[in-house]
Amino acid sequence: MKLWGGRFTKPTNQLVDEYTASITFDQKLAQFDIQGSLAHVKMLAKCEIISQEDSEQIAKGLLVVAEKIANDQVELTEENEDIHMNVEKLLIDEVGPVGGKLHTGRSRNDQVALDMRLYLRDALVTISQLLFDVQQALVKQAEANLDTVLPGYTHLQRAQPVLFAHHMMAYVFMFQRDLERLADSWKRVNKSPLGAGALAGTSFPIDREYVAEQLNFDGITENSLDSVSDRDFVVEFLADASLVIMHLSRLSEELVQWSSAEFNFIELDDAFCTGSSMMPQKKNPDVPELVRGKTGRVFGHLSGMLTTLKGLPLAYNKDMQEDKEGMFDTVETIKGALALFAPMIETMEVKKETMYQAVAKDYSNATDLADYLVGKDIPFREAHAIVGQTVLYSIEQNKYLLDLSLEEFMQFSDQIAEDIYQVLSPKAVVNARNVAGGTAKNRVEDQLKQANALFEQNQAWIEKKIQQIDQLLLTNK
Ligand code: ARG
């Protein structure tokens, strides 16, 4: 007999059971579901809705069920549809009919909203920590490469030289924005919807704040209809995660390019590469490739969730059960990628000499020749034209700017003097970008200082949140 079977005269068609059940995937919520139930049942006793004795018996039973699920000692069945009803069924098996009092003043609609929030806030902390690890690996590479110059590109054409440290720091600040977005979303995730009931609230004299406090929520949701039909926090997470993996994918693309013989700027550690079954010489950058590839599924989950929600009337609709797999998959996909990225970045070999050669053998110091002429009071537009001709001449001569003799330079402008060779050297070109946020070494050192200040904030936030959720696990163990 189903928990809700009273109103029915026939058993459910087996295909319906299979089609509508969510237990195959929502069992991931088991520990959060039980946490929520422990808080709920404690509140029921405190508000004298059930007796203290019943409450304690139920709580004890719930802990046994938690243990049994964790150790795979019980069967979760499609017949019992989802994790909420499976737990309730197992509880009744454990403690008898008194277990049937657990669901007083509660619906699966507010229960599932609660579980999703408990799961997600846990994931937010884990993902933030992993993002922070990647930032720290990038900073280590930046610190080790404060004198490493490589071509900076626009249109994937060599544009102006930059420090490799500057390039690494660009990603540090991208991931900082990602972290701040996750931290901001925490505020909207960490509110308790329990007490909204099926949609309208409950007639029992419950204490929603008390439940919220037990679960270390920062407060309760404001409106019962909204509480059970809101999945904005899932959409928001998927959007935040999309930006994380888009950033990872851009970095992946660079790592793949840089690992090719054509660039040869870096070599990923053997531990993070794979071979070919046919070509013995191959060492493939599979990890960044796969991260780049998995970006598609995360974007897909965002688009899927938005589409699922767009036409839904208030309040709960079964469609909303589709909120789970995309969210779980996104959490796993992001965690997996970040966990690999930190050590992969930290262990990659940076080929300083090849990078330097790439800068020496190109025209990326052309802007500096123009700026030099501007310093001699030639209008920039004129200087631009002079340098264009100088570059054209050099290409025809099969030379780079630094290969030209002073006489050759002077064919284009008599304002060019001996000091031009110093001005056009790669290090001088880099250090000339001495503007806040620029690639000059001292400016990159400033960025490292800024990052360190932000890292203290990150560390403090993560520690505070870990405490908030860890304590909870302990009290429920
Ligand atoms: N398994 C359902 C879900 O994930 C739980 C809520 C079901 N509520 C209901 N009234 N059928 O959305």
Side-chain angles (χ1 to χ4, degrees):
M1 171 85 153
K2 289 242 161 66
L3 286 173
W4 41 255
R7 185 233 177 276
F8 289 77
T9 53
K10 283 186 189 176
T12 320
N13 180 307
Q14 203 197 322
L15 287 175
V16 172
D17 270 345
E18 285 167 18
Y19 193 72
T20 58
S22 51
I23 188 62
T24 50
F25 49 88
D26 70 9
Q27 51 185 276
K28 247 194 163 60
L29 297 173
Q31 64 147 320
F32 302 106
D33 192 75
I34 293 172
Q35 269 174 17
S37 288
L38 285 166
H40 178 68
V41 80
K42 206 165 154 192
M43 180 277 291
L44 290 178
K46 185 209 148 239
C47 297
E48 295 175 359
I49 298 165
I50 65 172
S51 72
Q52 190 62 38
E53 203 192 322
D54 287 351
S55 168
E56 278 165 22
Q57 220 183 321
I58 292 170
K60 244 167 126 185
L62 282 169
L63 291 174
V64 175
V65 172
E67 187 88 14
K68 286 190 174 171
I69 293 178
N71 297 332
D72 265 338
Q73 289 164 340
V74 282
E75 206 201 337
L76 301 168
T77 66
E78 278 184 347
E79 205 200 329
N80 287 307
E81 205 177 313
D82 56 25
I83 188 62
H84 324 295
M85 292 205 294
N86 268 277
V87 168
E88 196 177 328
K89 186 82 182 1
L90 290 167
L91 174 70
I92 292 169
D93 290 348
E94 200 61 44
V95 300
V98 65
K101 296 190 176 185
L102 169 64
H103 211 52
T104 313
R106 184 177 76 172
S107 154
R108 275 185 296 153
N109 297 351
D110 55 349
Q111 189 179 0
V112 71
L114 176 81
D115 292 6
M116 293 288 284
R117 287 166 181 270
L118 288 171
Y119 168 88
L120 192 55
R121 77 178 186 180
D122 189 80
L124 287 180
V125 177
T126 312
I127 290 174
S128 299
Q129 178 65 63
L130 290 167
L131 261 171
F132 189 31
D133 293 343
V134 173
Q135 284 186 307
Q136 286 168 297
L138 288 162
V139 157
K140 277 190 197 152
Q141 283 291 2
E143 283 168 345
N145 287 287
L146 274 164
D147 291 302
T148 308
V149 182
L150 83 162
Y153 296 81
T154 65
H155 312 267
L156 201 57
Q157 305 289 317
R158 290 177 185 172
Q160 291 174 352
V162 293
L163 291 183
F164 190 68
H166 194 51
H167 204 115
M168 293 292 99
M169 292 309 288
Y171 284 100
V172 170
F173 292 108
M174 289 184 225
F175 291 130
Q176 184 62 27
R177 293 196 293 276
D178 291 335
L179 253 167
E180 288 172 13
R181 262 187 288 273
L182 293 176
D184 192 66
S185 75
W186 171 280
K187 296 182 219 155
R188 287 169 292 282
V189 172
N190 202 35
K191 286 183 170 186
S192 174
L194 208 70
L199 75 165
T202 169
S203 57
F204 291 98
I206 60 166
D207 184 344
R208 291 189 60 199
E209 267 92 5
Y210 182 77
V211 176
E213 272 165 39
Q214 298 306 302
L215 295 169
N216 284 336
F217 278 109
D218 299 320
I220 60 173
T221 54
E222 303 81 359
N223 176 294
S224 65
L225 289 170
D226 184 36
S227 303
V228 290
S229 52
D230 171 30
R231 292 295 182 276
D232 292 2
F233 59 94
V234 177
V235 173
E236 205 177 328
F237 168 70
L238 296 173
D240 293 349
S242 293
L243 283 165
V244 171
I245 201 156
M246 182 270 280
H247 292 151
L248 285 174
S249 183
R250 293 181 77 165
L251 180 52
S252 293
E253 171 65 15
E254 302 210 283
L255 296 178
V256 171
Q257 282 179 10
W258 290 345
S259 305
S260 69
E262 283 67 20
F263 274 84
N264 195 28
F265 282 180
I266 60 155
E267 183 167 346
L268 295 175
D269 194 82
D270 274 5
F272 295 95
C273 291
T274 52
S276 155
S277 57
M278 185 187 183
M279 300 166 282
Q281 84 285 9
K282 291 294 292 288
K283 176 172 163 182
N284 296 329
D286 281 27
V287 172
E289 289 175 276
L290 202 49
V291 169
R292 194 177 56 189
K294 284 179 187 289
T295 302
R297 64 204 278 166
V298 174
F299 291 2
H301 294 319
L302 170 61
S303 168
M305 188 72 250
L306 283 168
T307 312
T308 293
L309 292 173
K310 86 171 263 291
L312 296 186
L314 300 185
Y316 178 85
N317 301 272
K318 184 72 169 180
D319 315 46
M320 290 166 67
Q321 183 167 288
E322 285 293 302
D323 61 357
K324 289 173 196 62
E325 287 157 292
M327 181 178 74
F328 294 153
D329 184 64
T330 300
V331 167
E332 294 310 323
T333 302
I334 297 281
K335 276 193 203 169
L338 291 171
L340 278 165
F341 253 74
M344 185 173 69
I345 293 290
E346 207 177 318
T347 55
M348 77 183 175
E349 183 200 340
V350 177
K351 300 191 174 178
K352 305 182 185 192
E353 188 49 34
T354 345
M355 288 184 183
Y356 190 81
Q357 285 309 318
V359 172
K361 302 220 173 318
D362 77 343
Y363 298 91
S364 60
N365 47 4
T367 315
D368 293 77
L369 179 54
D371 292 352
Y372 174 88
L373 294 171
V374 169
K376 309 254 166 163
D377 210 29
I378 298 175
F380 180 76
R381 207 32 73 205
E382 243 171 76
H384 189 286
I386 293 170
V387 178
Q389 285 158 10
T390 316
V391 168
L392 188 61
Y393 168 83
S394 307
I395 293 170
E396 283 163 7
Q397 297 292 310
N398 220 350
K399 287 179 175 174
Y400 296 100
L401 291 177
L402 280 174
D403 301 329
L404 300 181
S405 67
L406 192 54
E407 289 68 38
E408 287 176 299
F409 269 125
M410 288 180 69
Q411 293 169 33
F412 301 97
S413 168
D414 57 9
Q415 297 295 308
I416 302 177
E418 192 61 49
D419 62 345
I420 194 61
Y421 295 101
Q422 207 285 325
V423 169
L424 295 185
S425 76
K427 290 247 155 96
V429 167
V430 163
N431 285 322
R433 268 74 195 164
N434 187 6
V435 61
T439 194
K441 185 174 174 180
N442 60 315
R443 298 301 189 162
V444 178
E445 284 166 342
D446 287 348
Q447 294 176 44
L448 280 164
K449 280 189 209 120
Q450 282 176 284
N452 274 325
L454 293 168
F455 284 6
E456 276 174 35
Q457 282 177 32
N458 295 351
Q459 183 76 45
W461 187 86
I462 291 168
E463 271 167 24
K464 196 170 139 214
K465 298 307 168 194
I466 286 178
Q467 259 184 7
Q468 221 172 332
I469 48 187
D470 265 7
Q471 279 171 1
L472 197 68
L473 289 177
L474 284 179
T475 48
N476 289 352
K477 272 237 169 87

